[in-house]
Amino acid sequence: MIVRTLDEITDTDADIKTPNWRSKRIILAKEKLGFSVHETTLYAGTVNDFWYANHIEAVFVTEGEGEVENKATGEVHQLKPGSIYVLNDHDKHQVRPKTEMKTVCVFNPPVTGREVHDENGVYPLIVEE
């Protein structure tokens, strides 16, 4: 059994901070569970382009409001607490938080914690040995 708190993650190397968002990586590939779990806070008024070409991501909104746009179709979905979106087709997308948004994100395959978004918003596929 794994039991962990956000306080244990805060200000460690598993707590990634950028000008637009902060991601606390709670469960990573090293746990060998087949997925990773993160709490991500997206800051109000930011524009965030992502494309997880190597991962499937599910995002559950727990606080705040915003919108997500499917870049291929232009379709925009409103987000609020209780909303979930799943990038089941490696969708290029843009997230625009109207207020600070807290989300719980699940990645498959799991991230290792060493990934950095490239110029296209893509995480490289890094496999934990």
Side-chain angles (χ1 to χ4, degrees), residues 60-66 79-84 99 101-102:
F60 182 74
V61 179
T62 60
E63 294 178 26
E65 296 184 3
L79 302 172
K80 62 183 181 180
S83 300
I84 189 169
T99 65
M101 287 176 47
K102 285 202 182 287

Side-chain angles (χ1 to χ4, degrees), residues 42 46-51 66-72 75-77 79 85 87 91-97:
L42 297 123
T46 60
V47 176
N48 303 276
D49 289 298
F50 301 115
W51 175 34
E67 57 190 23
V68 61
E69 178 181 347
N70 181 325
K71 298 296 280 183
E75 192 172 16
V76 176
H77 301 276
L79 302 172
Y85 63 92
L87 305 161
D91 310 280
K92 290 183 181 180
H93 61 292
Q94 186 175 83
V95 182
R96 300 182 292 261

Side-chain angles (χ1 to χ4, degrees), residues 3-116:
V3 177
R4 205 165 274 146
T5 68
L6 288 174
D7 287 342
E8 294 174 76
I9 305 299
T10 301
D11 295 325
T12 69
D13 60 354
D15 183 3
I16 310 304
K17 301 170 190 173
T18 78
N20 287 13
W21 51 265
R22 179 179 189 175
S23 182
K24 296 181 181 182
R25 280 100 187 255
I26 304 163
I27 299 293
L28 292 167
K30 65 184 176 185
E31 274 85 39
K32 301 192 183 309
L33 298 172
F35 60 89
S36 59
V37 179
H38 316 178
E39 180 200 61
T40 300
T41 302
L42 297 123
Y43 303 128
T46 60
V47 176
N48 303 276
D49 289 298
F50 301 115
W51 175 34
Y52 296 112
N54 300 306
H55 300 83
I56 300 295
E57 182 192 25
V59 179
F60 182 74
V61 179
T62 60
E63 294 178 26
E65 296 184 3
E67 57 190 23
V68 61
E69 178 181 347
N70 181 325
K71 298 296 280 183
T73 66
E75 192 172 16
V76 176
H77 301 276
Q78 298 305 306
L79 302 172
K80 62 183 181 180
S83 300
I84 189 169
Y85 63 92
V86 181
L87 305 161
N88 58 308
D89 199 21
H90 305 282
D91 310 280
K92 290 183 181 180
H93 61 292
Q94 186 175 83
V95 182
R96 300 182 292 261
K98 295 175 186 170
T99 65
E100 182 175 281
M101 287 176 47
K102 285 202 182 287
T103 64
V104 176
C105 307
V106 178
F107 282 85
N108 181 12
V111 301
T112 65
R114 298 186 307 274
E115 293 82 359
V116 176

